[in-house]
Amino acid sequence: MLEFLRSYHFVYNLLIVAFSILVTLLCIPSILHVARARHLYDDVGHFRKQHDHGIPRLGGVAIFVSFTITVLLFIDKSLPISYLLTACIILFAMGLKDDLSGVNSSTKFMIQFVVAAILVIPGDIRISSMYGVFNITALPYIPSIILSILVIMLIINSFNLIDGIDGLAATTGIIANSTFAALFIYMNKYELAAISLAMVGAVAGFLRFNITPAKIFMGDTGALLIGLVSAVMAIRFIELSKVSTVKLPFIYTAPALIVAVLIGPVFDTLRVFTIRLLNKKSPFDADRNHIHHRMLKMGLTHLQTTLVLACLNLVSIVMVLVLSNLNNSWLIVLIFLLSISFNGMVTYFIRSKKDEALVVRNFSD
């Protein structure tokens, strides 16, 4: 039956998304029931939390179950997915423990390093070419391994760090993996597209319960998993673009397109880490300086913030597609300039709001 459906790619892809959505929708009510019965709620008193009441943070369990079942049922066994699923299971176990009782940062990074190393070394999921970015083309084996591990860890942590308001990490994950699925379909890599679509469906089903007012959070379990799959799909796209027989413009700007797809979480992570280091703090010290926190200070709601950041993400992707005649280096510079400009606007509006509040306070005194 599946062999027959695979010959009808649109129906097959639609079935994957529908099935993964359904599994998530069936899982979450049971997870909510268990969380309430066992009082497994988010830490309301933490200074970074945006909600005034306890909300379960085990939505990532549903995402993991849905994604894993869908991949095992629908993905052709000829595709080597064992390394991906092994990495997912390891991260799931760590994320679940973190959501239930906490995991210190050094343990988190050690496990993320192990997961990345499994994917890169035995799994051979690595970046072997820079496409001329910074005048670098082919990468030797050892630098390729180092860069690939760092990229995977960066993307995993980036998704974890943007999971601070309702719907943001889920929406970003859907945009990223939908884009990867579309790119793989254009390249006739239908099995890779199916993996991305399995994640899209799993997260879309979760989003039904995570849009404001959120009934459940994805927690580290979900955010780490989305980041992992997004990182793997990004590297696979970059590598396949080198040998693709489909000569489309975006094939030659693969690195820039990947940067555009993941610019939201990656730019925010790099910005926050840089500011913390400049202030002589640990880059892993939690604070409320992420872009979504700053936009809430402007007076936007969770939903408005999520929609604005999603639109910025889409604008970056469209910009690369429209300007595909430029080289990768220029496109990456333009993407970061767009993000820097947007961040500057947010800073301006926050300061304006503070000045207005100060004037009102002085007037009332």
Side-chain angles (χ1 to χ4, degrees), residues 327-346:
N327 63 42
N328 282 289
S329 298
W330 277 110
L331 286 171
I332 291 172
V333 168
L334 288 175
I335 294 165
F336 273 90
L337 285 176
L338 177 62
S339 296
I340 292 170
S341 299
F342 178 79
N343 184 71
M345 289 174 56
V346 172

Side-chain angles (χ1 to χ4, degrees), residues 315-334:
V315 167
S316 298
I317 295 170
V318 172
M319 182 176 70
V320 172
L321 295 175
V322 171
L323 301 177
S324 58
N325 58 309
L326 297 178
N327 63 42
N328 282 289
S329 298
W330 277 110
L331 286 171
I332 291 172
V333 168
L334 288 175

Side-chain angles (χ1 to χ4, degrees), residues 32-280:
L32 287 171
H33 174 74
V34 171
R36 289 165 182 159
R38 301 294 180 181
H39 303 286
L40 303 175
Y41 296 121
D42 197 27
D43 183 7
V44 180
H46 195 279
F47 75 97
R48 295 176 71 233
K49 301 305 176 184
Q50 300 293 326
H51 301 79
D52 57 5
H53 59 283
I55 297 176
R57 56 179 306 185
L58 296 175
V61 174
I63 295 173
F64 171 80
V65 170
S66 176
F67 174 75
T68 304
I69 291 175
T70 304
V71 167
L72 290 173
L73 284 178
F74 287 91
I75 306 304
D76 193 334
K77 301 304 180 291
S78 64
L79 188 71
I81 59 171
S82 57
Y83 296 110
L84 174 60
L85 291 180
T86 299
C88 289
I89 292 169
I90 294 172
L91 270 191
F92 169 77
M94 184 195 72
L96 184 60
K97 183 180 184 300
D98 192 27
D99 291 334
L100 292 175
S101 60
V103 176
N104 63 60
S105 59
S106 60
T107 301
K108 284 184 184 179
F109 279 92
M110 180 186 71
I111 293 177
Q112 289 171 12
F113 176 81
V114 170
V115 164
I118 289 172
L119 292 169
V120 172
I121 300 173
D124 201 34
I125 299 172
R126 59 188 179 86
I127 302 169
S128 62
S129 173
M130 292 286 287
Y131 285 74
V133 177
F134 308 123
N135 292 321
I136 302 172
T137 51
L139 287 170
Y141 184 67
I142 298 301
S144 170
I145 287 177
I146 295 172
L147 175 64
S148 301
I149 289 176
L150 291 176
V151 166
I152 291 172
M153 293 180 67
L154 172 63
I155 296 172
I156 289 174
N157 282 287
S158 295
F159 273 89
N160 195 26
L161 291 173
I162 64 166
D163 184 30
I165 61 173
D166 298 344
L168 179 57
T171 302
T172 305
I174 290 173
I175 291 173
N177 284 279
S178 296
T179 304
F180 292 142
L183 294 172
F184 287 132
I185 289 171
Y186 270 111
M187 298 170 71
N188 299 323
K189 301 296 181 180
Y190 298 108
E191 296 298 339
L192 288 170
I195 294 175
S196 293
L197 290 173
M199 179 55 70
V200 169
V203 178
F206 163 79
L207 191 58
R208 158 72 177 78
F209 297 89
N210 188 238
I211 285 290
T212 303
K215 297 180 179 65
I216 191 170
F217 299 146
M218 69 171 63
D220 282 14
T221 309
L224 294 172
L225 182 63
I226 296 172
L228 175 68
V229 174
S230 299
V232 170
M233 294 298 101
I235 292 175
R236 292 301 295 146
F237 172 68
I238 290 175
E239 287 303 293
L240 288 172
S241 296
K242 294 190 308 179
V243 296
S244 176
T245 58
V246 182
K247 300 304 180 184
L248 294 173
F250 64 75
I251 295 296
Y252 306 105
T253 57
L257 188 52
I258 292 303
V259 171
V261 170
L262 300 172
I263 188 61
V266 168
F267 177 79
D268 186 55
T269 299
L270 294 176
R271 184 187 65 83
V272 169
F273 277 17
T274 300
I275 291 174
R276 291 171 185 170
L277 289 172
L278 290 174
N279 291 329
K280 298 181 180 179

